[in-house]
Amino acid sequence: MKNQSVSNNIDWITILIYTLLVILGWMNIYSADITPDSSYIFDINQNYGKQLIFIGFTIILVIVVLTIDSKFYERFSSVFYGLALLLLIGLFPLGKTIAGQRCWYAIGSFTLQPSEFAKAAVSLALAKYLSDPQINLKNFNHQIIGLLIIFVPVFLIILQPDAGSALIFLMFIFVLNREGLPSWYLWTALGAVVLFIMSLLLKPQYVVLISFLSILFHYFNSRKIKRNIIASSIVFILMAGFTISVDYVFENVFQQHHRDRFNILLGKEVDLAGIGYNTNQSKIAIGSGGWFGKGWLEGTQTKGNFVPEQHTDYIFTTVGEEWGFVGSTVLILLFTGLLLRILYLAERQKTKFSRVYGYGVASVLFTHFFVNVAMVVGIFPTIGVPLPFLSYGGSSLWGFTILLFIFVKMDANKVNEW
């Protein structure tokens, strides 16, 4: 088994799905960006021309990633994590500010967003930490270290400020949960989200009353023989305190455009010409596609530039308008197939490091995919999250490619890990 060729064990199903997504991405970027004055597809003054350059460099990246021994990624995972943090810190004195966010390094006419590459670094760091035989996530100290690996880059990204990217990193908690983190962490996070939304919709006293009744119901319906009234009281006090603090945080911590987007999403405001314009136009574009779409390059909403940022965060609207319900479903199935394939490959890994990393890849791609589509169809606030492999941008394409193909390399190398 040691001498078996790694190249013969590359998972071509994953690579095929990846290739299809990249091709579909460029086709829709081309459609969203082409004008009557456009000359040829390699025009680097146009986004579709630049994306071809990004794709060309991506091929080189794939070759490099697959050529390097998979043990290299494990051995230097801490180094990659440290470099990622340094790049995020370096943005504050050296970064370029775009639309109020200091998220990019400017390199000539191109920009590079380090948070896109930090996702692979955090995945590697978590995999390295959790694969240590001495680490047990039932131990509180081990839990704290695992959470710190996630929250340090989250803190740096929030300061940029980039809420969308920070949200993606928070989803690494699913990886910790898969490896033994107590489920109450997830339930606490979910409960905080529910309380937050309820506090925005209802008066605080009503939310506190609902919290009290829910604690009371749980207390008297607990299957445990010994009920802990002190613990129940502490939980209620924390819930009440959190509820009362929501209004202050919402008004003083959130930026105005974040408040506007939440208010529109929750139906508290209607602003179809202002902050709600993007989402409203994207729903119109997707709805106008019908079952089979208007045809590639034939989208009237796309050609009329009614949806801002249609080649980046809102690329799914082009798919919906020009490819219709059927084309959108095919795209969703491709993503679903890729995610299921990654999970399948993760479970068959011979080392814990590779398995944990695989779950990190799946968490990042799923969160990006779900949040982006939910954002475009209006069931999630607009927070600037690209659709993996489809949205325009070199940083996102390269970051997702590195993230995925490191795992492809690990999976191909598992034959040498018996």
Side-chain angles (χ1 to χ4, degrees), residues 295-332:
W296 187 47
L297 307 179
E298 300 297 329
T300 54
Q301 296 290 316
T302 297
K303 292 294 169 288
N305 293 320
F306 288 101
V307 183
E309 307 300 330
Q310 194 160 352
H311 59 294
T312 54
D313 300 340
Y314 280 80
I315 192 67
F316 189 74
T317 61
T318 304
V319 178
E321 182 182 20
E322 298 190 346
W323 303 85
F325 176 81
V326 173
S328 300
T329 301
V330 169
L331 179 61
I332 291 173

Side-chain angles (χ1 to χ4, degrees), residues 251-318:
E251 294 297 333
N252 295 278
V253 177
F254 280 46
Q255 296 183 5
Q256 183 61 48
H257 65 278
H258 290 146
R259 295 197 294 270
D260 293 336
R261 287 166 180 169
F262 268 102
N263 287 332
I264 290 172
L265 180 67
L266 298 175
K268 298 175 68 175
E269 293 181 12
V270 177
D271 185 13
L272 300 183
I275 198 71
Y277 177 81
N278 286 26
T279 302
N280 183 58
Q281 290 298 324
S282 70
K283 290 191 287 187
I284 292 173
I286 293 173
S288 67
W291 283 96
F292 300 102
K294 299 175 181 176
W296 187 47
L297 307 179
E298 300 297 329
T300 54
Q301 296 290 316
T302 297
K303 292 294 169 288
N305 293 320
F306 288 101
V307 183
E309 307 300 330
Q310 194 160 352
H311 59 294
T312 54
D313 300 340
Y314 280 80
I315 192 67
F316 189 74
T317 61
T318 304

